[in-house]
Amino acid sequence: MSAYITNLTRQSKTMYTKSEQLKKNRTPKQKKCKQCKEMFTPDRPMQSCCSVSHAIEYAKAQKIKRDGTEKRKTLKAFNDSDKNVLKRKAIEVFNAYIRARDKDKPCVSCGYIGEGRQFHAGHYRPAGNVAILRFDERNVHRQCSICNNHLSGNLVNYRFELINRIGLDQVEELEATNDPKQYTIEEYAEIIKKYKQRIKNIQI
């Protein structure tokens, strides 16, 4: 019985030795260098670069990338929680929606429809005076830069065209609205989400 066990042990050692020899004789599979993207034959397991210098360069690049990702995450977290940043974003997205909604309409005040002027999202009731109407779609329409910037909104003509677009009752409701409004972070975030989606729907 002991001779049988001894024989099995010898066979196992022989098989193990042959297996190790096969591993040593096996040609390593080529890999692509993470840094220079050239193919190379690795000298050791888990080798990712063709040389030490490339390994150092790749490690530095990865660190810079990780640091950049962390900074972007930190900035995003700050932006998502900072009220003033969200307010600017909400205004930007809402105004972009108004311009997209009215892209085929002329200036609400003067009727200009050419390509020689910039077009803005012009408020009938100024948002600085009546914050609750800042994001009211009835109160904001595509307006040329001349009327918006140089003619203080050209409001007499704005009102005339606004009545045509939304009706006298709606215009008078806008004119009677003077309620104060303080937007929350959550409201700004919801406005951003809402009008980003509406812009996408228009572009489809």
Side-chain angles (χ1 to χ4, degrees):
M1 186 66 177
S2 60
Y4 175 72
I5 293 174
T6 301
N7 188 40
L8 283 177
T9 302
R10 287 175 180 171
Q11 288 179 0
S12 298
K13 286 182 179 179
T14 301
M15 291 174 65
Y16 177 78
T17 303
K18 287 182 178 180
S19 175
E20 286 297 304
Q21 191 62 41
L22 285 172
K23 288 182 180 179
K24 290 180 181 179
N25 294 336
R26 187 182 299 157
T27 302
K29 185 179 179 181
Q30 283 202 320
K31 299 169 67 174
K32 183 183 287 187
C33 176
K34 295 284 188 181
Q35 180 63 19
C36 68
K37 309 304 180 184
E38 296 292 332
M39 299 301 292
F40 75 101
T41 302
D43 298 324
R44 58 190 181 280
M46 306 302 291
Q47 183 179 347
S48 59
C49 295
C50 61
S51 66
V52 174
S53 60
H54 280 194
I56 293 172
E57 290 174 12
Y58 178 70
K60 288 180 179 179
Q62 290 300 105
K63 184 179 185 303
I64 292 172
K65 185 177 179 180
R66 287 194 300 272
D67 291 346
T69 299
E70 287 302 315
K71 286 180 181 178
R72 286 193 295 272
K73 286 181 179 179
T74 301
L75 180 60
K76 184 178 185 303
F78 172 77
N79 288 345
D80 289 345
S81 63
D82 184 84
K83 192 172 183 179
N84 288 329
V85 172
L86 285 177
K87 177 182 177 181
R88 288 195 296 271
K89 281 186 179 180
I91 292 171
E92 179 183 335
V93 173
F94 176 77
N95 290 351
Y97 164 72
I98 294 298
R99 292 193 296 272
R101 182 197 68 184
D102 295 352
K103 60 183 172 58
D104 297 323
K105 293 182 179 180
C107 170
V108 67
S109 295
C110 70
Y112 182 80
I113 200 168
E115 298 181 356
R117 304 176 188 175
Q118 288 185 335
F119 280 91
H120 303 164
H123 289 68
Y124 175 58
R125 297 287 307 282
N129 297 338
V130 194
I132 197 170
L133 298 179
R134 181 184 294 279
F135 303 106
D136 190 318
E137 295 176 30
R138 301 170 302 166
N139 188 54
V140 193
H141 297 264
R142 187 173 185 253
Q143 186 177 50
C144 76
S145 56
I146 300 299
C147 289
N148 191 33
N149 291 340
H150 303 292
L151 298 177
S152 301
N154 195 357
L155 296 180
V156 172
N157 290 332
Y158 195 137
R159 187 178 192 275
F160 180 79
E161 175 59 21
L162 193 57
I163 292 171
N164 290 334
R165 294 190 185 188
I166 68 173
L168 179 60
D169 290 346
Q170 293 292 309
V171 173
E172 290 180 340
E173 184 176 316
L174 290 175
E175 291 171 340
T177 300
N178 291 291
D179 299 334
K181 173 64 178 176
Q182 290 289 335
Y183 291 92
T184 65
I185 287 176
E186 291 75 20
E187 285 175 321
Y188 283 133
E190 185 58 33
I191 288 167
I192 293 167
K193 180 181 177 181
K194 174 182 176 179
Y195 286 102
K196 276 186 175 181
Q197 186 58 52
R198 288 198 177 184
I199 290 171
K200 287 181 180 179
N201 292 342
I202 290 173
Q203 294 171 342
I204 292 176

